Protein backbone atom coordinates (compact mmCIF):
# COMPACT_ATOMS: atom_id res chain seq x y z
CA UNK A 1 0.00 0.00 0.00
CA UNK A 2 2.93 2.35 0.64
CA UNK A 3 4.18 2.35 -2.96
CA UNK A 4 0.94 3.23 -4.82
CA UNK A 5 -0.15 5.83 -2.26
CA UNK A 6 3.30 7.43 -2.24
CA UNK A 7 3.35 7.47 -6.03
CA UNK A 8 -0.12 9.06 -6.11
CA UNK A 9 0.91 11.82 -3.68
CA UNK A 10 4.10 12.54 -5.60
CA UNK A 11 2.36 12.56 -8.99
CA UNK A 12 0.17 15.33 -7.59
CA UNK A 13 3.24 17.18 -6.32
CA UNK A 14 5.13 16.89 -9.62
CA UNK A 15 2.13 18.05 -11.66
CA UNK A 16 1.69 21.06 -9.39
CA UNK A 17 5.38 21.93 -9.80
CA UNK A 18 5.12 21.58 -13.60
CA UNK A 19 1.98 23.73 -13.65
CA UNK A 20 3.57 26.49 -11.58
CA UNK A 21 6.75 26.40 -13.69
CA UNK A 22 4.73 26.71 -16.89
CA UNK A 23 2.60 29.53 -15.47
CA UNK A 24 5.71 31.45 -14.42
CA UNK A 25 7.48 30.97 -17.76
CA UNK A 26 4.37 31.83 -19.80
CA UNK A 27 2.29 34.12 -17.58
CA UNK A 28 -0.07 35.26 -20.34
CA UNK A 29 -1.23 31.78 -21.38
CA UNK A 30 -3.77 31.17 -18.60
CA UNK A 31 -5.38 34.64 -18.71
CA UNK A 32 -5.64 34.44 -22.51
CA UNK A 33 -7.28 31.01 -22.27
CA UNK A 34 -9.72 32.16 -19.59
CA UNK A 35 -10.64 35.16 -21.74
CA UNK A 36 -11.32 32.81 -24.69
CA UNK A 37 -13.52 30.58 -22.51
CA UNK A 38 -15.78 33.50 -21.58
CA UNK A 39 -16.61 32.01 -18.16
CA UNK A 40 -14.78 34.43 -15.86
CA UNK A 41 -15.71 38.12 -16.22
CA UNK A 42 -13.04 40.14 -18.05
CA UNK A 43 -11.80 42.24 -15.14
CA UNK A 44 -11.56 39.14 -12.91
CA UNK A 45 -9.42 37.10 -15.33
CA UNK A 46 -6.03 38.37 -14.15
CA UNK A 47 -6.81 38.07 -10.38
CA UNK A 48 -8.25 34.57 -10.88
CA UNK A 49 -5.16 33.51 -12.86
CA UNK A 50 -2.90 34.85 -10.11
CA UNK A 51 -5.00 33.10 -7.45
CA UNK A 52 -4.84 29.80 -9.35
CA UNK A 53 -1.07 30.04 -9.67
CA UNK A 54 -0.73 30.98 -6.00
CA UNK A 55 -2.93 28.03 -4.96
CA UNK A 56 -0.86 25.62 -7.04
CA UNK A 57 2.41 27.03 -5.69
CA UNK A 58 1.15 26.97 -2.11
CA UNK A 59 -0.04 23.38 -2.37
CA UNK A 60 3.23 22.32 -4.00
CA UNK A 61 5.30 23.92 -1.23
CA UNK A 62 3.13 22.39 1.48
CA UNK A 63 3.37 18.96 -0.18
CA UNK A 64 7.14 19.30 -0.32
CA UNK A 65 7.26 20.11 3.38
CA UNK A 66 4.75 17.52 4.60
CA UNK A 67 2.10 15.65 2.58
CA UNK A 68 -0.68 16.08 5.12
CA UNK A 69 -4.19 14.80 4.41
CA UNK A 70 -5.54 18.36 4.44
CA UNK A 71 -3.07 19.54 1.79
CA UNK A 72 -3.74 16.47 -0.36
CA UNK A 73 -7.49 17.04 0.03
CA UNK A 74 -6.93 20.64 -1.04
CA UNK A 75 -5.15 19.40 -4.15
CA UNK A 76 -8.04 17.00 -4.83
CA UNK A 77 -10.50 19.89 -4.59
CA UNK A 78 -8.35 22.07 -6.87
CA UNK A 79 -8.07 19.36 -9.53
CA UNK A 80 -11.79 18.55 -9.23
CA UNK A 81 -12.51 22.26 -9.79
CA UNK A 82 -10.27 22.18 -12.87
CA UNK A 83 -12.16 19.13 -14.12
CA UNK A 84 -15.51 20.82 -13.58
CA UNK A 85 -14.34 24.00 -15.28
CA UNK A 86 -12.88 22.07 -18.22
CA UNK A 87 -16.05 20.00 -18.54
CA UNK A 88 -18.20 23.16 -18.50
CA UNK A 89 -16.08 24.87 -21.15
CA UNK A 90 -16.02 21.74 -23.31
CA UNK A 91 -19.70 20.87 -22.90
CA UNK A 92 -20.84 24.42 -23.60
CA UNK A 93 -18.85 24.45 -26.85
CA UNK A 94 -16.91 27.53 -25.84
CA UNK A 95 -13.59 25.94 -26.80
CA UNK A 96 -10.31 27.75 -26.78
CA UNK A 97 -6.95 26.66 -25.41
CA UNK A 98 -6.83 24.90 -22.05
CA UNK A 99 -4.34 27.40 -20.62
CA UNK A 100 -2.54 24.57 -18.89
CA UNK A 101 0.84 24.90 -20.46
CA UNK A 102 3.03 26.49 -23.04
CA UNK A 103 1.68 24.30 -25.87
CA UNK A 104 -1.54 25.21 -27.61
CA UNK A 105 -3.75 22.45 -26.26
CA UNK A 106 -7.46 22.93 -26.92
CA UNK A 107 -9.89 22.48 -24.07
CA UNK A 108 -11.32 18.99 -24.60
CA UNK A 109 -12.30 15.77 -22.84
CA UNK A 110 -8.60 14.82 -22.43
CA UNK A 111 -8.08 17.90 -20.27
CA UNK A 112 -11.18 16.95 -18.26
CA UNK A 113 -9.93 13.36 -17.87
CA UNK A 114 -6.50 14.44 -16.71
CA UNK A 115 -8.00 16.69 -14.05
CA UNK A 116 -10.29 13.90 -12.85
CA UNK A 117 -7.39 11.44 -12.63
CA UNK A 118 -5.31 13.96 -10.67
CA UNK A 119 -8.22 14.68 -8.32
CA UNK A 120 -8.63 10.94 -7.73
CA UNK A 121 -4.90 10.45 -7.07
CA UNK A 122 -4.90 13.33 -4.58
CA UNK A 123 -8.04 11.98 -2.87
CA UNK A 124 -6.56 8.48 -2.55
CA UNK A 125 -3.33 9.89 -1.15
CA UNK A 126 -5.31 12.06 1.28
CA UNK A 127 -7.38 9.12 2.49
CA UNK A 128 -4.31 6.91 3.01
CA UNK A 129 -1.85 9.68 3.92
CA UNK A 130 -0.17 7.57 6.60
CA UNK A 131 1.25 5.37 3.84
CA UNK A 132 2.99 8.26 2.01
CA UNK A 133 6.76 8.04 2.27
CA UNK A 134 8.20 11.34 3.51
CA UNK A 135 10.66 13.05 1.18
CA UNK A 136 13.04 13.43 4.11
CA UNK A 137 13.49 9.66 4.34
CA UNK A 138 15.71 9.20 1.33
CA UNK A 139 16.20 5.52 0.55
CA UNK A 140 15.83 3.14 -2.41
CA UNK A 141 12.04 2.90 -1.98
CA UNK A 142 11.70 6.67 -2.19
CA UNK A 143 13.89 6.77 -5.31
CA UNK A 144 11.59 4.22 -6.97
CA UNK A 145 8.50 6.16 -5.89
CA UNK A 146 9.92 9.40 -7.27
CA UNK A 147 10.94 7.82 -10.58
CA UNK A 148 7.47 6.35 -11.01
CA UNK A 149 5.77 9.58 -9.95
CA UNK A 150 7.79 11.77 -12.31
CA UNK A 151 7.14 9.38 -15.21
CA UNK A 152 3.39 9.23 -14.58
CA UNK A 153 3.14 12.98 -13.95
CA UNK A 154 4.93 13.88 -17.18
CA UNK A 155 2.77 11.44 -19.14
CA UNK A 156 -0.40 12.85 -17.58
CA UNK A 157 0.72 16.41 -18.19
CA UNK A 158 1.33 15.74 -21.89
CA UNK A 159 -1.69 13.46 -22.42
CA UNK A 160 -4.09 16.13 -23.75
CA UNK A 161 -1.50 17.50 -26.17
CA UNK A 162 -0.49 14.04 -27.37
CA UNK A 163 -4.06 12.86 -27.86
CA UNK A 164 -5.11 16.10 -29.56
CA UNK A 165 -2.17 15.86 -31.95
CA UNK A 166 -2.93 12.17 -32.57
CA UNK A 167 -6.59 12.88 -33.28
CA UNK A 168 -5.82 15.79 -35.64
CA UNK A 169 -3.32 13.66 -37.59
CA UNK A 170 -5.94 10.91 -37.98
CA UNK A 171 -8.52 13.43 -39.17
CA UNK A 172 -6.11 14.63 -41.88
CA UNK A 173 -5.84 11.12 -43.34
Amino acid sequence: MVFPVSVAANVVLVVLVIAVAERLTAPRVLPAAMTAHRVVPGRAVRPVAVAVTAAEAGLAVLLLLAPSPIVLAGAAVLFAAYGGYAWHVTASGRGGPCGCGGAEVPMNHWVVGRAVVLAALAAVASAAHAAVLPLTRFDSRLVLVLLAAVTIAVLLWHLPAAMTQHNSEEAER
Side-chain angles (χ1 to χ4, degrees):
M1 184 74 163
V2 169
F3 186 77
V5 173
S6 293
V7 169
N10 284 289
V11 165
V12 169
L13 170 61
V14 172
V15 167
L16 287 169
V17 169
I18 292 170
V20 170
E22 293 225 354
R23 298 222 198 292
L24 293 177
T25 58
R28 292 186 176 93
V29 171
L30 181 59
M34 289 170 46
T35 300
H37 301 154
R38 301 178 322 274
V39 173
V40 177
R43 69 181 146 247
V45 166
R46 177 68 67 193
V48 169
V50 169
V52 163
T53 304
E56 291 170 341
L59 288 168
V61 167
L62 290 172
L63 283 174
L64 276 169
L65 297 174
S68 76
I70 294 170
V71 176
L72 288 161
V77 169
L78 181 69
F79 286 123
Y82 288 169
Y85 179 89
W87 177 84
H88 173 72
V89 170
T90 302
S92 66
R94 294 173 191 252
C98 78
C100 50
E104 282 294 316
V105 177
M107 187 67 84
N108 58 30
H109 63 281
W110 292 108
V111 175
V112 175
R114 175 182 61 193
V116 169
V117 167
L118 289 165
L121 289 171
V124 165
S126 176
H129 70 280
V132 176
L133 291 173
L135 294 176
T136 56
R137 185 177 161 207
F138 200 76
D139 61 10
S140 60
R141 288 188 321 162
L142 183 61
V143 169
L144 252 142
V145 162
L146 293 175
L147 287 172
V150 168
T151 301
I152 294 167
V154 168
L155 289 172
L156 272 174
W157 186 257
H158 290 290
L159 175 71
M163 295 310 294
T164 301
Q165 181 180 8
H166 173 73
N167 289 341
S168 65
E169 288 173 0
E170 293 220 347
E172 291 175 3
R173 289 184 193 159

